[in-house]
Amino acid sequence: MTRRTPTGAAVLQPTVTQAITEAVLDELAEQGYARLSMEAVAKRAGVGKSALYRRWSSKQEMAISVISEFSMEQVTVPDTGSLRGDLRAALDTLMKWLTHPRFSRIMPDLVAEAARNPELGEAVETLVGMPKRERVAAMFQRAIDRGELPQDTDLELALDLLAAPLYWRLVVRSAAPDPAYMDNLTDALLRSLTNPS
């Protein structure tokens, strides 16, 4: 017996959701979070504001939901079978995320806005930062299970060590890393994680 959609219920069409998602990312990249509006997103997506409110209750919920989904799609950490291979793959993924044509413009603005808006900062950490860190933490846990890292490895520190140099170089310094830099960074991370003393 098939279930029928109740009369009057909102049906969220994937094509409409995709158009809205693209519009949110474009508006964030061009206008920034502070100037983001439901009206502008609806206009860019070619839909009525009601289509947005059927999906999200507020601008913040809309923005964080779209950024979270986008970020999780970008942050994949393949199991290469070795810690060095995993580190290099994770760095490549992180670089791709931070240098994405739209996200490279969204990220600095979002960080600045989150510093001024504690509620937004908490939402970003909860819905973007933590899930991303949990996914990458699994990479370090695999290395511990394989015996490549000590059992008492500080995962929080390891996660910070992985992301910080690339974030600093790309976002703060606006310097593009070349393959040699990425290889050297991978080796430096491997040394610091496997020989902490």
Side-chain angles (χ1 to χ4, degrees), residues 62-79:
M62 175 183 72
I64 299 305
S65 174
V66 167
I67 291 168
S68 174
E69 185 175 332
F70 170 82
S71 297
M72 292 310 288
E73 287 173 0
Q74 300 294 313
V75 181
T76 56
V77 185
D79 184 352

Side-chain angles (χ1 to χ4, degrees), residues 1-189:
M1 186 173 174
T2 57
R3 293 184 62 187
R4 191 169 65 85
T5 303
T7 304
V11 178
L12 302 182
Q13 299 174 352
T15 55
V16 174
T17 300
Q18 185 60 34
I20 295 170
T21 296
E22 295 297 318
V24 171
L25 291 171
D26 284 338
E27 285 291 316
L28 281 168
E30 293 174 19
Q31 304 297 329
Y33 180 83
R35 295 177 62 192
L36 178 72
S37 71
M38 303 290 265
E39 290 83 0
V41 169
K43 183 177 180 181
R44 185 184 283 263
V47 300
K49 278 201 298 181
S50 59
L52 275 61
Y53 284 108
R54 280 197 293 271
R55 291 164 173 80
W56 308 286
S57 63
S58 67
K59 166 181 128 171
Q60 178 175 300
E61 185 182 335
M62 175 183 72
I64 299 305
S65 174
V66 167
I67 291 168
S68 174
E69 185 175 332
F70 170 82
S71 297
M72 292 310 288
E73 287 173 0
Q74 300 294 313
V75 181
T76 56
V77 185
D79 184 352
T80 68
S82 73
L83 176 57
R84 191 190 189 286
D86 287 356
L87 286 171
R88 187 63 165 84
L91 287 171
D92 285 341
T93 297
L94 184 59
M95 184 173 72
K96 181 182 172 188
W97 179 57
L98 292 172
T99 58
H100 185 276
R102 284 184 294 195
F103 198 70
S104 62
R105 293 157 66 193
I106 293 171
M107 182 70 160
D109 173 74
L110 194 63
V111 169
E113 194 63 38
R116 292 187 289 267
N117 182 339
E119 184 182 345
L120 175 66
E122 185 176 339
V124 169
E125 175 59 19
T126 301
L127 298 173
V128 181
M130 287 173 59
K132 192 161 56 64
R133 285 174 74 86
E134 286 170 6
R135 185 171 287 183
V136 180
M139 173 190 78
F140 289 118
Q141 188 57 56
R142 287 197 303 265
I144 292 171
D145 295 341
R146 288 192 299 252
E148 294 178 283
L149 287 176
Q151 288 289 331
D152 62 350
T153 296
D154 185 334
L155 292 181
E156 280 296 303
L157 179 58
L159 288 164
D160 286 348
L161 285 172
L162 175 69
L166 206 51
Y167 177 86
W168 179 264
R169 188 174 181 89
L170 290 167
V171 179
V172 179
R173 292 188 55 218
S174 298
D178 57 25
Y181 175 87
M182 297 292 280
D183 286 336
N184 291 337
L185 178 56
T186 301
D187 291 336
L189 287 168

